[in-house]
Every structure is written in C-alpha cells, then in structure tokens.
Coordinates of all heavy atoms in Angstrom, one line a residue:
M1 N 7.7 -36.7 -13.5 CA 7.1 -37.8 -14.2 C 6.5 -38.8 -13.2 O 7.1 -39.1 -12.2 CB 8.2 -38.5 -15.0 CG 7.6 -39.6 -15.9 SD 8.9 -40.6 -16.8 CE 9.4 -41.8 -15.5
T2 N 5.2 -39.1 -13.5 CA 4.5 -40.0 -12.7 C 4.6 -41.5 -13.2 O 4.4 -41.7 -14.4 CB 3.0 -39.7 -12.6 OG1 2.9 -38.3 -12.3 CG2 2.3 -40.5 -11.6
K3 N 4.9 -42.5 -12.4 CA 5.0 -43.8 -12.8 C 3.8 -44.6 -12.2 O 3.1 -44.2 -11.3 CB 6.4 -44.4 -12.2 CG 7.6 -43.8 -12.6 CD 8.7 -44.5 -11.9 CE 10.0 -43.7 -12.1 NZ 11.1 -44.4 -11.3
T4 N 3.7 -45.8 -12.7 CA 2.7 -46.7 -12.1 C 3.1 -47.1 -10.7 O 4.3 -47.4 -10.5 CB 2.6 -48.0 -13.0 OG1 2.2 -47.7 -14.3 CG2 1.6 -49.0 -12.4
E5 N 2.2 -47.1 -9.8 CA 2.6 -47.4 -8.4 C 1.5 -48.2 -7.7 O 0.3 -48.2 -8.2 CB 2.8 -46.2 -7.6 CG 1.7 -45.1 -7.6 CD 2.1 -43.8 -7.0 OE1 3.2 -43.3 -7.1 OE2 1.1 -43.2 -6.4
A6 N 1.8 -49.1 -6.8 CA 0.8 -49.8 -6.1 C -0.1 -49.0 -5.3 O 0.4 -48.0 -4.7 CB 1.6 -50.9 -5.2
V7 N -1.4 -49.4 -5.2 CA -2.3 -48.6 -4.4 C -2.0 -48.8 -2.9 O -1.6 -49.9 -2.4 CB -3.7 -49.1 -4.7 CG1 -4.7 -48.5 -3.7 CG2 -4.2 -48.9 -6.1
D8 N -1.9 -47.7 -2.2 CA -1.6 -47.8 -0.8 C -2.5 -46.8 0.0 O -3.4 -46.1 -0.6 CB -0.2 -47.5 -0.5 CG 0.3 -46.1 -0.9 OD1 -0.7 -45.2 -1.0 OD2 1.4 -45.8 -0.8
K9 N -2.4 -46.7 1.3 CA -3.3 -45.9 2.1 C -3.1 -44.4 1.9 O -3.9 -43.6 2.5 CB -3.1 -46.4 3.6 CG -1.7 -46.0 4.1 CD -1.5 -46.5 5.6 CE -0.1 -46.1 6.0 NZ 0.1 -46.5 7.4
N10 N -2.1 -44.0 1.2 CA -1.8 -42.6 1.1 C -2.6 -41.9 0.0 O -2.5 -40.7 -0.2 CB -0.3 -42.3 0.9 CG 0.4 -42.7 2.1 OD1 0.0 -42.6 3.2 ND2 1.6 -43.3 1.9
L11 N -3.4 -42.7 -0.8 CA -4.2 -42.0 -1.9 C -5.4 -41.3 -1.3 O -5.9 -41.6 -0.3 CB -4.8 -43.2 -2.7 CG -3.9 -44.0 -3.6 CD1 -4.7 -45.1 -4.4 CD2 -3.2 -43.1 -4.6
S12 N -5.6 -40.2 -2.0 CA -6.8 -39.3 -1.6 C -8.1 -40.1 -1.9 O -8.1 -41.1 -2.7 CB -6.8 -38.0 -2.3 OG -7.1 -38.3 -3.8
P13 N -9.1 -39.8 -1.3 CA -10.4 -40.5 -1.5 C -10.8 -40.4 -3.0 O -11.3 -41.4 -3.5 CB -11.5 -39.6 -0.7 CG -10.6 -39.1 0.4 CD -9.3 -38.8 -0.2
E14 N -10.6 -39.3 -3.7 CA -10.9 -39.2 -5.1 C -10.0 -40.2 -6.0 O -10.5 -40.8 -6.9 CB -10.7 -37.7 -5.6 CG -11.6 -36.7 -5.0 CD -11.1 -36.3 -3.6 OE1 -10.0 -36.4 -3.3 OE2 -12.0 -35.7 -2.9
Q15 N -8.7 -40.2 -5.6 CA -7.8 -41.1 -6.4 C -8.3 -42.6 -6.1 O -8.2 -43.4 -7.1 CB -6.4 -41.0 -5.9 CG -5.8 -39.7 -6.3 CD -4.4 -39.5 -5.7 OE1 -4.2 -39.6 -4.5 NE2 -3.4 -39.1 -6.5
L16 N -8.6 -42.9 -4.9 CA -9.0 -44.3 -4.6 C -10.3 -44.6 -5.3 O -10.4 -45.7 -5.8 CB -9.2 -44.5 -3.0 CG -9.5 -45.8 -2.5 CD1 -8.4 -46.8 -3.0 CD2 -9.7 -45.9 -1.1
Q17 N -11.2 -43.7 -5.4 CA -12.5 -43.9 -6.1 C -12.2 -44.3 -7.6 O -12.8 -45.1 -8.2 CB -13.4 -42.7 -5.9 CG -14.6 -42.8 -6.8 CD -15.9 -43.1 -6.0 OE1 -15.8 -43.0 -4.8 NE2 -16.9 -43.5 -6.6
D18 N -11.3 -43.4 -8.2 CA -10.9 -43.6 -9.5 C -10.3 -45.0 -9.8 O -10.6 -45.7 -10.7 CB -9.9 -42.5 -9.9 CG -9.6 -42.6 -11.4 OD1 -10.4 -42.7 -12.3 OD2 -8.4 -42.5 -11.7
V19 N -9.4 -45.4 -8.9 CA -8.7 -46.7 -9.1 C -9.7 -47.8 -8.9 O -9.7 -48.8 -9.7 CB -7.6 -46.9 -8.0 CG1 -7.1 -48.3 -8.0 CG2 -6.4 -45.8 -8.3
V20 N -10.6 -47.7 -7.9 CA -11.6 -48.8 -7.7 C -12.6 -48.9 -8.9 O -12.9 -49.9 -9.4 CB -12.4 -48.5 -6.3 CG1 -13.6 -49.5 -6.3 CG2 -11.4 -48.7 -5.2
S21 N -13.0 -47.7 -9.5 CA -14.0 -47.7 -10.6 C -13.4 -48.4 -11.8 O -14.1 -48.9 -12.6 CB -14.4 -46.3 -10.8 OG -13.4 -45.5 -11.4
R22 N -12.0 -48.3 -12.0 CA -11.3 -48.9 -13.1 C -11.0 -50.4 -12.9 O -10.6 -51.0 -13.7 CB -10.1 -48.1 -13.5 CG -10.5 -46.8 -14.1 CD -9.3 -46.0 -14.6 NE -8.6 -45.4 -13.5 CZ -7.3 -45.4 -13.3 NH1 -6.5 -45.9 -14.3 NH2 -6.7 -44.8 -12.3
G23 N -11.1 -50.8 -11.6 CA -10.8 -52.2 -11.3 C -9.4 -52.5 -11.2 O -9.0 -53.7 -11.4
H24 N -8.5 -51.5 -11.0 CA -7.1 -51.8 -10.9 C -6.6 -51.9 -9.4 O -7.1 -51.3 -8.5 CB -6.3 -50.6 -11.5 CG -6.5 -50.6 -13.1 ND1 -6.1 -51.6 -13.9 CD2 -7.1 -49.6 -13.8 CE1 -6.5 -51.2 -15.2 NE2 -7.1 -50.0 -15.1
V25 N -5.5 -52.6 -9.3 CA -4.8 -52.6 -7.9 C -3.6 -51.7 -8.0 O -2.9 -51.6 -7.0 CB -4.4 -54.0 -7.4 CG1 -5.6 -54.8 -7.1 CG2 -3.6 -54.7 -8.5
Y26 N -3.3 -51.1 -9.2 CA -2.2 -50.2 -9.4 C -2.8 -48.8 -9.9 O -3.8 -48.9 -10.6 CB -1.2 -50.7 -10.4 CG -0.4 -51.9 -9.9 CD1 -0.9 -53.2 -10.1 CD2 0.7 -51.7 -9.2 CE1 -0.1 -54.2 -9.6 CE2 1.4 -52.7 -8.6 CZ 1.0 -54.1 -8.8 OH 1.7 -55.1 -8.4
N27 N -2.2 -47.8 -9.5 CA -2.5 -46.4 -9.9 C -1.7 -46.2 -11.2 O -0.5 -46.0 -11.1 CB -2.2 -45.5 -8.8 CG -2.8 -44.1 -9.0 OD1 -3.7 -44.0 -9.9 ND2 -2.3 -43.1 -8.3
M28 N -2.4 -46.2 -12.3 CA -1.8 -45.9 -13.6 C -1.7 -44.4 -13.9 O -2.7 -43.7 -13.7 CB -2.5 -46.6 -14.7 CG -2.7 -48.1 -14.5 SD -1.1 -49.0 -14.6 CE -1.6 -50.7 -14.5
P29 N -0.6 -43.9 -14.3 CA -0.5 -42.5 -14.5 C -1.2 -42.0 -15.9 O -1.5 -40.9 -15.9 CB 1.0 -42.2 -14.7 CG 1.6 -43.6 -15.1 CD 0.7 -44.6 -14.5
F30 N -1.4 -42.9 -16.8 CA -2.0 -42.6 -18.1 C -3.1 -43.6 -18.4 O -3.1 -44.6 -17.8 CB -1.0 -42.5 -19.2 CG 0.2 -41.6 -18.8 CD1 1.5 -42.1 -18.6 CD2 0.1 -40.2 -18.8 CE1 2.5 -41.3 -18.3 CE2 1.1 -39.4 -18.4 CZ 2.4 -39.9 -18.2
E31 N -3.8 -43.4 -19.5 CA -4.8 -44.3 -20.0 C -4.4 -44.8 -21.4 O -3.6 -44.1 -22.1 CB -6.2 -43.7 -20.1 CG -6.7 -43.3 -18.8 CD -8.1 -42.6 -18.9 OE1 -8.7 -42.8 -20.0 OE2 -8.6 -42.0 -17.9
V32 N -4.7 -45.9 -21.7 CA -4.5 -46.5 -23.1 C -5.1 -45.7 -24.1 O -6.2 -45.2 -23.9 CB -4.9 -48.0 -23.2 CG1 -4.7 -48.5 -24.6 CG2 -4.0 -48.9 -22.2
N33 N -4.5 -45.4 -25.3 CA -4.9 -44.6 -26.3 C -4.9 -43.1 -26.0 O -5.5 -42.3 -26.7 CB -6.3 -44.9 -26.8 CG -6.3 -46.4 -27.4 OD1 -5.4 -46.8 -28.0 ND2 -7.5 -47.0 -27.3
Q34 N -4.2 -42.7 -25.0 CA -4.0 -41.3 -24.6 C -2.8 -40.7 -25.2 O -1.8 -41.4 -25.4 CB -4.0 -41.2 -23.1 CG -3.7 -39.8 -22.6 CD -3.5 -39.7 -21.1 OE1 -3.5 -40.7 -20.4 NE2 -3.2 -38.5 -20.6
Y35 N -2.9 -39.5 -25.7 CA -1.7 -38.9 -26.3 C -0.9 -38.3 -25.1 O -1.4 -37.6 -24.2 CB -2.0 -37.8 -27.3 CG -2.4 -38.3 -28.6 CD1 -3.8 -38.4 -29.0 CD2 -1.5 -38.9 -29.5 CE1 -4.1 -39.0 -30.2 CE2 -1.8 -39.4 -30.8 CZ -3.2 -39.4 -31.1 OH -3.6 -40.0 -32.3
V36 N 0.5 -38.5 -25.2 CA 1.4 -38.0 -24.2 C 2.6 -37.5 -24.8 O 2.8 -37.6 -26.0 CB 1.8 -39.0 -23.1 CG1 0.5 -39.5 -22.3 CG2 2.5 -40.3 -23.8
Y37 N 3.5 -36.9 -24.1 CA 4.7 -36.3 -24.7 C 5.9 -37.0 -24.0 O 6.1 -36.8 -22.8 CB 4.8 -34.8 -24.5 CG 3.7 -34.1 -25.3 CD1 2.4 -33.9 -24.8 CD2 3.9 -33.6 -26.6 CE1 1.4 -33.3 -25.5 CE2 2.9 -33.0 -27.3 CZ 1.7 -32.8 -26.8 OH 0.7 -32.3 -27.5
M38 N 6.7 -37.6 -24.8 CA 7.9 -38.2 -24.2 C 9.1 -37.4 -24.7 O 9.1 -36.8 -25.8 CB 8.1 -39.7 -24.7 CG 8.4 -39.9 -26.2 SD 8.6 -41.5 -26.8 CE 10.3 -42.0 -26.2
I39 N 10.1 -37.3 -23.8 CA 11.3 -36.6 -24.1 C 12.3 -37.5 -24.6 O 12.7 -38.5 -24.0 CB 11.8 -35.8 -22.8 CG1 10.8 -34.8 -22.4 CG2 13.1 -35.1 -23.1 CD1 11.1 -34.1 -21.1
T40 N 12.8 -37.2 -25.8 CA 13.9 -38.0 -26.4 C 14.8 -37.0 -27.1 O 14.3 -36.2 -28.0 CB 13.4 -39.1 -27.2 OG1 14.5 -39.9 -27.7 CG2 12.5 -38.7 -28.3
G41 N 16.1 -37.2 -26.9 CA 17.0 -36.2 -27.7 C 16.8 -34.8 -27.4 O 17.0 -34.0 -28.3
G42 N 16.3 -34.4 -26.3 CA 16.1 -32.9 -25.9 C 14.9 -32.4 -26.6 O 14.7 -31.2 -26.6
R43 N 14.0 -33.3 -27.2 CA 12.7 -32.7 -27.8 C 11.5 -33.5 -27.2 O 11.6 -34.6 -26.7 CB 12.7 -33.0 -29.3 CG 13.8 -32.4 -30.1 CD 13.7 -32.7 -31.6 NE 12.8 -33.8 -31.8 CZ 12.7 -34.3 -33.0 NH1 13.4 -33.8 -34.1 NH2 11.8 -35.3 -33.2
A44 N 10.4 -32.8 -27.2 CA 9.2 -33.4 -26.7 C 8.4 -33.9 -27.9 O 8.0 -33.2 -28.8 CB 8.3 -32.4 -26.0
L45 N 8.2 -35.3 -27.9 CA 7.5 -35.9 -29.1 C 6.1 -36.3 -28.7 O 6.0 -37.0 -27.6 CB 8.3 -37.1 -29.5 CG 9.7 -36.8 -30.1 CD1 10.4 -38.2 -30.4 CD2 9.6 -36.0 -31.3
K46 N 5.1 -36.1 -29.4 CA 3.8 -36.5 -29.1 C 3.6 -38.0 -29.6 O 3.8 -38.3 -30.7 CB 2.8 -35.6 -29.9 CG 1.3 -35.9 -29.4 CD 0.4 -34.9 -30.2 CE -1.1 -35.1 -29.7 NZ -2.0 -34.2 -30.4
V47 N 3.3 -38.8 -28.5 CA 3.1 -40.3 -28.9 C 1.8 -40.7 -28.2 O 1.2 -40.0 -27.4 CB 4.3 -41.1 -28.3 CG1 5.6 -40.7 -29.0 CG2 4.5 -40.9 -26.8
V48 N 1.4 -41.9 -28.6 CA 0.2 -42.5 -28.0 C 0.5 -43.7 -27.1 O 1.5 -44.4 -27.3 CB -0.8 -43.0 -29.1 CG1 -0.3 -44.2 -29.9 CG2 -2.2 -43.3 -28.5
V49 N -0.1 -43.8 -25.9 CA 0.1 -44.8 -25.0 C -0.7 -46.1 -25.5 O -1.9 -46.0 -25.6 CB -0.5 -44.4 -23.5 CG1 -0.2 -45.6 -22.6 CG2 0.3 -43.2 -23.1
T50 N 0.0 -47.0 -25.9 CA -0.6 -48.3 -26.4 C -0.8 -49.4 -25.3 O -1.6 -50.3 -25.5 CB 0.2 -48.8 -27.6 OG1 1.5 -48.9 -27.3 CG2 -0.1 -47.9 -28.8
D51 N 0.0 -49.3 -24.2 CA -0.2 -50.2 -23.1 C 0.5 -49.7 -21.9 O 1.5 -48.9 -22.0 CB 0.2 -51.6 -23.5 CG -0.4 -52.7 -22.6 OD1 -1.2 -52.4 -21.7 OD2 -0.1 -53.9 -22.8
I52 N 0.1 -50.1 -20.7 CA 0.8 -49.7 -19.5 C 1.0 -50.9 -18.7 O 0.1 -51.7 -18.4 CB 0.0 -48.7 -18.7 CG1 -0.4 -47.5 -19.6 CG2 0.8 -48.2 -17.5 CD1 -1.4 -46.6 -18.9
G53 N 2.2 -51.1 -18.1 CA 2.5 -52.1 -17.1 C 3.0 -51.6 -15.9 O 3.3 -50.4 -15.7
V54 N 3.2 -52.5 -14.9 CA 3.7 -52.1 -13.6 C 5.1 -51.5 -13.7 O 5.4 -50.5 -13.1 CB 3.7 -53.3 -12.6 CG1 4.4 -52.9 -11.3 CG2 2.2 -53.8 -12.4
G55 N 5.9 -52.2 -14.5 CA 7.3 -51.8 -14.6 C 7.7 -51.0 -15.9 O 8.8 -50.7 -16.2
S56 N 6.7 -50.9 -16.8 CA 7.0 -50.3 -18.1 C 5.8 -49.6 -18.7 O 4.6 -49.8 -18.3 CB 7.5 -51.4 -19.0 OG 6.6 -52.4 -19.2
I57 N 6.0 -48.9 -19.8 CA 4.9 -48.3 -20.6 C 5.2 -48.5 -22.1 O 6.4 -48.5 -22.5 CB 4.8 -46.8 -20.2 CG1 3.7 -46.1 -20.9 CG2 6.1 -46.1 -20.6 CD1 3.3 -44.7 -20.4
Q58 N 4.2 -48.7 -22.9 CA 4.3 -48.9 -24.3 C 3.8 -47.7 -25.0 O 2.7 -47.2 -24.8 CB 3.5 -50.1 -24.8 CG 3.8 -50.5 -26.1 CD 3.0 -51.8 -26.6 OE1 1.8 -51.7 -26.6 NE2 3.6 -52.8 -26.9
L59 N 4.7 -47.0 -25.7 CA 4.5 -45.8 -26.4 C 4.7 -46.0 -27.9 O 5.7 -46.5 -28.4 CB 5.4 -44.7 -26.0 CG 5.3 -44.4 -24.5 CD1 6.4 -43.4 -24.1 CD2 4.0 -43.8 -24.1
N60 N 3.7 -45.7 -28.7 CA 3.7 -46.0 -30.2 C 4.1 -47.4 -30.4 O 4.9 -47.7 -31.5 CB 4.6 -45.0 -30.9 CG 3.9 -43.7 -31.1 OD1 2.7 -43.5 -30.7 ND2 4.6 -42.7 -31.7
G61 N 3.8 -48.4 -29.6 CA 4.0 -49.8 -29.8 C 5.4 -50.3 -29.3 O 5.7 -51.4 -29.5
Q62 N 6.2 -49.5 -28.7 CA 7.5 -49.8 -28.2 C 7.5 -49.7 -26.7 O 7.1 -48.7 -26.2 CB 8.6 -49.0 -28.8 CG 10.0 -49.4 -28.3 CD 11.1 -48.7 -29.0 OE1 10.9 -48.1 -30.1 NE2 12.3 -48.7 -28.5
W63 N 7.9 -50.8 -26.1 CA 8.0 -50.8 -24.6 C 9.2 -50.1 -24.1 O 10.4 -50.3 -24.6 CB 8.0 -52.3 -24.1 CG 6.7 -52.9 -24.2 CD1 6.3 -53.9 -25.1 CD2 5.7 -52.8 -23.2 NE1 5.0 -54.3 -24.8 CE2 4.6 -53.6 -23.7 CE3 5.5 -52.1 -22.1 CZ2 3.4 -53.8 -23.0 CZ3 4.3 -52.2 -21.4 CH2 3.3 -53.0 -21.8
Y64 N 9.0 -49.3 -23.0 CA 10.1 -48.7 -22.3 C 9.9 -48.9 -20.8 O 8.8 -48.9 -20.3 CB 10.0 -47.1 -22.6 CG 10.2 -46.7 -23.9 CD1 9.1 -46.5 -24.7 CD2 11.5 -46.4 -24.5 CE1 9.2 -46.1 -26.0 CE2 11.6 -46.0 -25.7 CZ 10.4 -45.8 -26.5 OH 10.6 -45.4 -27.8
T65 N 10.9 -49.2 -20.1 CA 10.8 -49.3 -18.7 C 10.7 -47.9 -18.1 O 11.1 -46.9 -18.8 CB 12.1 -50.0 -18.0 OG1 13.2 -49.1 -18.2 CG2 12.3 -51.4 -18.6
W66 N 10.1 -47.8 -16.9 CA 10.0 -46.5 -16.3 C 11.3 -45.8 -16.1 O 11.5 -44.6 -16.2 CB 9.2 -46.6 -15.0 CG 7.7 -46.9 -15.2 CD1 7.1 -48.0 -14.8 CD2 6.7 -46.0 -15.8 NE1 5.8 -48.0 -15.2 CE2 5.5 -46.7 -15.8 CE3 6.7 -44.8 -16.3 CZ2 4.4 -46.3 -16.3 CZ3 5.6 -44.2 -16.9 CH2 4.4 -45.0 -16.9
E67 N 12.3 -46.6 -15.8 CA 13.7 -46.1 -15.5 C 14.3 -45.6 -16.8 O 14.9 -44.5 -16.9 CB 14.6 -47.2 -15.0 CG 14.3 -47.6 -13.5 CD 13.0 -48.4 -13.3 OE1 12.6 -49.1 -14.3 OE2 12.4 -48.3 -12.3
E68 N 14.1 -46.3 -18.0 CA 14.5 -45.7 -19.3 C 13.9 -44.4 -19.5 O 14.6 -43.5 -20.0 CB 14.1 -46.7 -20.4 CG 14.9 -47.9 -20.6 CD 14.4 -48.7 -21.7 OE1 13.3 -49.2 -21.7 OE2 15.2 -48.8 -22.8
M69 N 12.6 -44.3 -19.3 CA 11.9 -43.0 -19.6 C 12.4 -41.9 -18.7 O 12.6 -40.8 -19.1 CB 10.4 -43.2 -19.5 CG 9.7 -44.0 -20.6 SD 10.2 -43.6 -22.2 CE 9.8 -41.8 -22.3
E70 N 12.6 -42.3 -17.4 CA 13.2 -41.2 -16.5 C 14.6 -40.8 -17.0 O 14.8 -39.6 -16.9 CB 13.2 -41.9 -15.1 CG 13.3 -40.8 -14.1 CD 13.1 -41.4 -12.6 OE1 13.3 -42.6 -12.5 OE2 12.5 -40.7 -11.8
N71 N 15.4 -41.7 -17.5 CA 16.7 -41.3 -17.9 C 16.7 -40.5 -19.2 O 17.5 -39.6 -19.4 CB 17.6 -42.6 -18.2 CG 17.9 -43.3 -16.8 OD1 17.9 -42.7 -15.8 ND2 18.2 -44.6 -16.9
K72 N 15.7 -40.7 -20.0 CA 15.6 -39.9 -21.3 C 15.0 -38.5 -21.0 O 15.2 -37.6 -21.7 CB 14.6 -40.6 -22.2 CG 15.1 -41.8 -23.0 CD 14.0 -42.4 -23.8 CE 14.5 -43.5 -24.6 NZ 14.9 -43.1 -26.0
G73 N 14.3 -38.4 -19.9 CA 13.7 -37.1 -19.5 C 12.3 -37.2 -19.1 O 11.8 -36.2 -18.5
G74 N 11.6 -38.3 -19.3 CA 10.3 -38.5 -18.9 C 9.2 -38.6 -19.9 O 9.5 -38.4 -21.1
V75 N 8.0 -38.9 -19.4 CA 6.8 -38.9 -20.3 C 5.8 -38.1 -19.5 O 5.6 -38.3 -18.3 CB 6.4 -40.3 -20.6 CG1 6.1 -41.2 -19.3 CG2 5.1 -40.3 -21.5
Y76 N 5.1 -37.1 -20.2 CA 4.2 -36.2 -19.5 C 2.9 -36.1 -20.3 O 2.8 -36.2 -21.5 CB 4.9 -34.8 -19.5 CG 6.2 -34.8 -18.8 CD1 7.4 -35.1 -19.4 CD2 6.2 -34.7 -17.4 CE1 8.6 -35.2 -18.7 CE2 7.4 -34.7 -16.7 CZ 8.6 -35.0 -17.3 OH 9.8 -35.0 -16.6
E77 N 1.9 -35.8 -19.5 CA 0.5 -35.7 -20.0 C 0.4 -34.4 -20.9 O -0.4 -34.4 -21.9 CB -0.5 -35.7 -18.9 CG -1.9 -35.8 -19.4 CD -2.8 -36.1 -18.2 OE1 -2.4 -36.1 -17.0 OE2 -4.1 -36.4 -18.5
A78 N 1.1 -33.3 -20.4 CA 0.9 -32.1 -21.2 C 2.2 -31.7 -21.8 O 3.3 -31.9 -21.2 CB 0.4 -31.0 -20.2
E79 N 2.2 -31.0 -23.0 CA 3.4 -30.6 -23.7 C 4.1 -29.5 -22.9 O 5.3 -29.5 -22.8 CB 3.0 -30.0 -25.1 CG 4.2 -29.6 -25.9 CD 3.9 -29.1 -27.3 OE1 2.7 -28.7 -27.4 OE2 4.7 -29.1 -28.1
F80 N 3.4 -28.7 -22.2 CA 4.0 -27.7 -21.3 C 4.8 -28.3 -20.3 O 6.0 -27.8 -20.0 CB 2.9 -26.7 -20.6 CG 3.6 -25.7 -19.7 CD1 4.0 -24.6 -20.3 CD2 3.5 -25.9 -18.4 CE1 4.7 -23.6 -19.5 CE2 4.1 -24.9 -17.5 CZ 4.6 -23.8 -18.0
D81 N 4.4 -29.4 -19.6 CA 5.2 -30.1 -18.6 C 6.5 -30.7 -19.2 O 7.5 -30.7 -18.5 CB 4.3 -31.2 -17.9 CG 3.2 -30.6 -17.1 OD1 3.2 -29.4 -16.7 OD2 2.2 -31.4 -16.9
A82 N 6.3 -31.2 -20.4 CA 7.5 -31.9 -21.1 C 8.5 -30.8 -21.4 O 9.7 -30.9 -21.2 CB 7.1 -32.5 -22.4
L83 N 8.1 -29.7 -21.9 CA 9.0 -28.5 -22.2 C 9.6 -27.9 -21.0 O 10.8 -27.6 -21.0 CB 8.3 -27.4 -23.1 CG 7.7 -27.8 -24.4 CD1 6.9 -26.8 -25.0 CD2 8.8 -28.3 -25.3
T84 N 8.9 -27.9 -19.9 CA 9.4 -27.4 -18.6 C 10.5 -28.3 -18.2 O 11.6 -27.8 -17.7 CB 8.3 -27.3 -17.5 OG1 7.3 -26.4 -18.0 CG2 8.9 -26.8 -16.3
A85 N 10.3 -29.7 -18.3 CA 11.3 -30.6 -17.9 C 12.6 -30.5 -18.8 O 13.7 -30.6 -18.3 CB 10.7 -32.1 -18.0
I86 N 12.4 -30.3 -20.0 CA 13.6 -30.1 -20.9 C 14.3 -28.8 -20.5 O 15.6 -28.8 -20.5 CB 13.1 -29.9 -22.4 CG1 12.5 -31.3 -22.9 CG2 14.2 -29.5 -23.3 CD1 11.8 -31.2 -24.3
A87 N 13.6 -27.8 -20.2 CA 14.4 -26.6 -19.7 C 15.1 -26.8 -18.5 O 16.2 -26.2 -18.3 CB 13.3 -25.4 -19.5
Q88 N 14.5 -27.6 -17.6 CA 15.3 -27.9 -16.3 C 16.5 -28.8 -16.5 O 17.4 -28.8 -15.7 CB 14.3 -28.5 -15.3 CG 13.3 -27.5 -14.8 CD 12.2 -28.1 -13.9 OE1 12.1 -29.3 -13.8 NE2 11.4 -27.3 -13.3
M89 N 16.4 -29.6 -17.6 CA 17.6 -30.4 -17.9 C 18.8 -29.7 -18.3 O 19.9 -30.1 -18.2 CB 17.2 -31.5 -18.9 CG 16.2 -32.5 -18.5 SD 15.5 -33.5 -19.8 CE 16.9 -34.1 -20.6
M90 N 18.6 -28.5 -18.9 CA 19.7 -27.8 -19.5 C 20.4 -26.9 -18.5 O 20.0 -26.6 -17.4 CB 19.2 -26.9 -20.6 CG 18.6 -27.6 -21.7 SD 18.0 -26.6 -23.0 CE 17.7 -27.8 -24.3

C-alpha cells in the first residue's frame, strides 16, 4: 500500500515532473474522484477517493488515517492488488 509521502531527492525524474506539474509538495498515491479498492473484513470494496491528506485519506466521504487503512489491509489502485493482499493476509 502506498501512502502520502513528502517529496525528497529519491524520486525519479518522471515522479518529480508529475509532482511539480500538479503543484504539490507531497507525493499523493491516488487522485481525487479515483476509484480504488479498500480491504475491510477480508473483502475488497470498490470506493471513491473523495480527498487525500498528508496523514489520512477520505474514502466515500469517511476519513481514515493511513495507519488505520494499513491495519485493515490497505487501499489499492487495482482490484488484483487488493485480492493479492487479502491472500497474503491468510
């Protein structure tokens, strides 16, 4: 699971270009209004990213800290990645 992280010197030139073009000082893992898959109760649920913060993410209007999401199993861009994470949890 990728979290929001501060921009640093370890970004690739492509990643840095992307961050600069969006005007952020943080590297956001997802975009607002993007569909992602969150793991909850051993299932992958399709939700929409409604906002992203440095320490949290808002999914379907509810805020979760990155630590909460990590403890639940994570939030992933692709359903395959979410299902893979569920399989590894078992």
Side-chain angles (χ1 to χ4, degrees):
M1 181 182 88
T2 306
K3 301 178 188 178
T4 300
E5 55 190 33
V7 174
D8 65 14
K9 64 181 180 181
N10 297 322
L11 290 177
S12 71
E14 294 82 19
Q15 290 172 314
L16 187 58
Q17 173 106 16
D18 182 49
V19 170
V20 169
S21 70
R22 290 184 285 140
H24 295 296
V25 289
Y26 289 91
N27 191 15
M28 305 293 189
F30 308 110
E31 295 181 17
V32 173
N33 295 328
Q34 175 184 359
Y35 284 101
V36 295
Y37 294 87
M38 70 181 279
I39 298 175
T40 181
R43 296 182 348 186
L45 300 175
K46 187 176 183 180
V47 295
V48 66
V49 177
T50 46
D51 202 358
I52 305 171
V54 174
S56 57
I57 185 168
Q58 191 179 60
L59 303 170
N60 283 357
Q62 183 171 344
W63 282 101
Y64 298 93
T65 66
W66 290 113
E67 289 73 25
E68 280 180 296
M69 289 311 306
E70 198 166 30
N71 290 339
K72 286 177 174 267
V75 57
Y76 300 90
E77 191 167 8
E79 185 177 18
F80 179 79
D81 294 335
L83 295 174
T84 301
I86 291 169
Q88 291 174 350
M89 290 168 52
M90 296 180 172

